[in-house]
Amino acid sequence: MVKPTRRARRFAAGICLALPIVALLWVPWYSYDAPHLAGMKFFFWYQLIWVPGSVVFMAIAYVLRRSAERPPRDRHLTRDRRRG
């Protein structure tokens, strides 16, 4: 299996961060009263559902960026062996 490149991981992380912003700033997508959920209009529960949704997308972006910045484990072990 081919590992994604650092550039592809950065692009995917950027998409994960941009998706909640675009979904909430494009108001015509959710400026409706119906359907109701637990007595709340669609406009309100759509925004509320994005709170945990944004956390999930930010966590995915964090994992993508963190794993892209980490040096490969083999190089790290060989450096330690040289010092010891």
Side-chain angles (χ1 to χ4, degrees), residues 14-84:
I15 294 294
C16 287
L17 293 175
L19 189 64
I21 294 169
V22 171
L24 288 169
L25 287 180
W26 196 268
V27 180
W29 281 352
Y30 62 94
S31 63
Y32 303 107
D33 288 339
H36 292 268
L37 180 68
M40 289 188 341
K41 296 179 181 179
F42 179 73
F43 179 81
F44 296 113
W45 66 262
Y46 178 83
Q47 291 177 347
L48 286 175
I49 202 73
W50 272 104
V51 173
S54 296
V55 171
V56 169
F57 281 112
M58 283 188 256
I60 292 170
Y62 174 76
V63 168
L64 286 171
R65 291 292 295 147
R66 182 171 167 91
S67 61
E69 294 173 359
R70 231 183 239 176
R73 188 143 175 88
D74 295 335
R75 272 197 251 162
H76 182 65
L77 289 175
T78 51
R79 285 185 198 157
D80 288 342
R81 289 182 188 156
R82 288 183 198 160
R83 291 181 191 160

